Amino acid sequence: NDGFKMNLAGFYLNRSRYEDAVKVIDQIITASPSSEQKRVVTAAFWLKNNRVDQAVKVLEDGVAIKPESVELRKRLSEIYIAAREYQKAENILSQGVALHKDTKSPDWINLQTSLAEILFQKQDIPGTKKIIDDVLKNDPKNVAGQMIRGNILLAEKHFGEAVASFRIVVNDHPELIDAHIALSRAHALNKEYELALDVLKNALKREPDSDNLLKAMAEFHLMREDIDAARKVMEDRVKKYPDNQNAKTDMQKFTAVLVSYYFSKGMVDKAESICRENPKNTDACIALGSMYEQKKNYNKAIIIYEETLKNNPQSWDAANNLAFLLAEADGTPHTLQRAFELAQKALSINP
């Protein structure tokens, strides 16, 4: 069966028998060349094994056989977007739209909203608005359409209207966490802070284990400069999800924000104490060094970067920033040689 064949293909890949793996996967597809499901599954297999070219080939061949397929075109566009090949993604969806003439059909609407998302990422607001206006004219409560419309309105700083768009989605689909987060953000940008907070609190009552909601709550408190509340949420998040790498990474970045915040408010000792307590937090220590650079206290910045590099030898930022400062320092042969070595180190870390 297909599961056995994919396991066999994985076995071959693990032993660098790439051509054998391709042959096995091809057997799955050739058994039913027009099957969307088989192509989606095998493309996912190739993506999981970092063979993007094969995933693209599987889907492109599928589109050639079944050009009206919405599923294959959307999956292919997602790969193009991940590779930042936005024009290819736009083309594959536009061609699909042209094949679906009924503007009230779910397929046409599905392709159009996906196309609008790409145009919005490209910051083509007029193009995005034109598509979304057409979508909502035919399907006024379309979830993707209302969410994109809300984001357009946020970009245009029409915060009150954005609230209305996101509110439609929340009312019709209270299970959609992203809609609650977007609604809260729109309220906050419209300076309706109590409403923004209430949205998040109510959503957390519904989904108390939502990591995204906790992150949104921390971001809300940070925007309001309620540092203690934001820090508590972020710390609780890490405790609640000890194996969640995203939560740990966000905590590191949040700590860097704290350093910059305290420094900008004149609480330099507090900013420095954070780095002393978290010497392995590269983001925080780099933030501290950058703040000293902005104040033109280059000697202090050099000390910070030296200490950061000692604790985090593979930090590109520390090596690169330190190389630059030393190159501009006293100009002695020893200092210039050290700057050159650090520049080489930075290049080796991030060629």
Side-chain angles (χ1 to χ4, degrees):
N1 59 33
D2 291 349
F4 170 78
K5 288 177 181 176
M6 280 195 280
N7 286 336
L8 180 59
F11 173 85
Y12 285 143
L13 283 179
N14 289 335
R15 284 154 183 77
S16 301
R17 293 170 61 179
Y18 178 63
E19 291 182 2
D20 289 330
V22 172
K23 288 178 183 177
V24 172
I25 295 298
D26 282 348
Q27 289 173 10
I28 297 174
I29 295 170
T30 54
S32 183
S34 62
S35 169
E36 294 180 34
Q37 182 190 16
K38 287 182 184 292
R39 288 187 180 275
V40 169
V41 170
T42 52
F45 168 84
W46 287 123
L47 289 175
K48 182 181 177 182
N49 288 282
N50 298 315
R51 299 286 180 172
V52 178
D53 56 336
Q54 281 295 331
V56 168
K57 183 178 185 305
V58 166
L59 295 172
E60 285 182 340
D61 289 349
V63 170
I65 293 171
K66 200 171 182 178
E68 74 280 5
S69 171
V70 174
E71 182 69 13
L72 295 180
R73 287 183 181 277
K74 285 190 67 173
R75 298 287 180 143
L76 190 52
S77 73
E78 289 167 5
I79 296 176
Y80 289 147
I81 291 169
R84 299 184 182 278
E85 295 181 299
Y86 296 111
Q87 194 57 54
K88 283 187 176 182
E90 186 178 337
N91 290 345
I92 200 69
L93 293 173
S94 295
Q95 291 160 9
V97 169
L99 295 173
H100 294 272
K101 305 299 184 183
D102 182 2
T103 57
K104 292 186 182 296
S105 74
D107 286 342
W108 182 87
I109 290 172
N110 200 347
L111 286 165
Q112 284 284 61
T113 52
S114 295
L115 183 58
E117 287 174 359
I118 294 172
L119 294 181
F120 185 73
Q121 286 184 46
K122 291 172 62 178
Q123 298 183 336
D124 180 358
I125 300 299
T128 309
K129 286 175 73 172
K130 183 177 184 307
I131 291 174
I132 291 305
D133 285 346
D134 286 343
V135 167
L136 293 177
K137 181 174 67 178
N138 291 290
D139 185 6
K141 290 196 173 185
N142 181 271
V143 173
Q146 288 292 354
M147 291 294 288
I148 295 169
R149 180 176 183 272
N151 286 324
I152 292 171
L153 291 166
L154 288 182
E156 294 178 331
K157 301 187 187 304
H158 300 314
F159 305 131
E161 293 177 63
V163 166
S165 274
F166 295 133
R167 175 61 70 186
I168 289 172
V169 181
V170 168
N171 287 344
D172 290 345
H173 300 275
E175 76 281 1
L176 295 180
I177 297 303
D178 287 347
H180 289 274
I181 292 171
L183 177 59
S184 172
R185 183 164 176 258
H187 275 307
L189 290 170
N190 205 36
K191 301 189 186 309
E192 299 167 331
Y193 301 118
E194 290 301 319
L195 289 175
L197 187 58
D198 284 345
V199 168
L200 293 178
K201 285 181 176 179
N202 290 332
L204 277 167
K205 288 177 184 176
R206 182 183 182 88
E207 296 286 344
D209 293 327
S210 171
D211 182 49
N212 286 339
L213 280 172
L214 289 175
K215 182 179 178 182
M217 184 69 83
E219 289 171 349
F220 170 80
H221 288 310
L222 189 60
M223 183 185 71
R224 297 289 291 144
E225 294 194 13
D226 189 344
I227 300 302
D228 291 338
R231 189 170 194 169
K232 183 179 186 308
V233 173
M234 293 298 284
E235 289 173 347
D236 288 348
R237 200 177 150 223
V238 173
K239 290 176 185 175
K240 192 169 188 176
Y241 304 103
D243 298 324
N244 186 329
Q245 189 56 48
N246 288 335
K248 293 177 182 177
T249 300
D250 288 340
M251 185 65 198
Q252 283 194 316
K253 291 178 180 178
F254 173 74
T255 305
V257 171
L258 284 185
V259 168
S260 299
Y261 175 81
Y262 287 136
F263 197 103
S264 67
K265 297 295 183 181
M267 294 181 278
V268 177
D269 289 344
K270 201 162 188 177
E272 289 189 340
S273 71
I274 290 175
C275 287
R276 284 196 300 271
E277 293 166 9
N278 302 274
K280 292 290 185 180
N281 188 330
T282 308
D283 290 335
C285 298
I286 294 298
L288 182 61
S290 297
M291 296 302 288
Y292 274 117
E293 279 195 70
Q294 290 177 29
K295 292 291 185 181
K296 301 189 185 305
N297 190 340
Y298 301 123
N299 288 335
K300 187 68 174 179
I302 286 172
I303 292 170
I304 297 295
Y305 292 140
E306 287 278 19
E307 191 66 22
T308 303
L309 199 58
K310 184 173 76 174
N311 291 314
N312 306 276
Q314 291 303 112
S315 170
W316 179 87
D317 287 309
N320 185 68
N321 294 2
L322 187 54
F324 178 80
L325 289 179
L326 290 177
E328 298 291 317
D330 55 32
T332 63
H334 174 74
T335 302
L336 289 174
Q337 179 61 30
R338 170 88 168 125
F340 177 71
E341 290 171 355
L342 284 166
Q344 285 187 311
K345 179 180 178 67
L347 188 61
S348 70
I349 295 170
N350 187 13

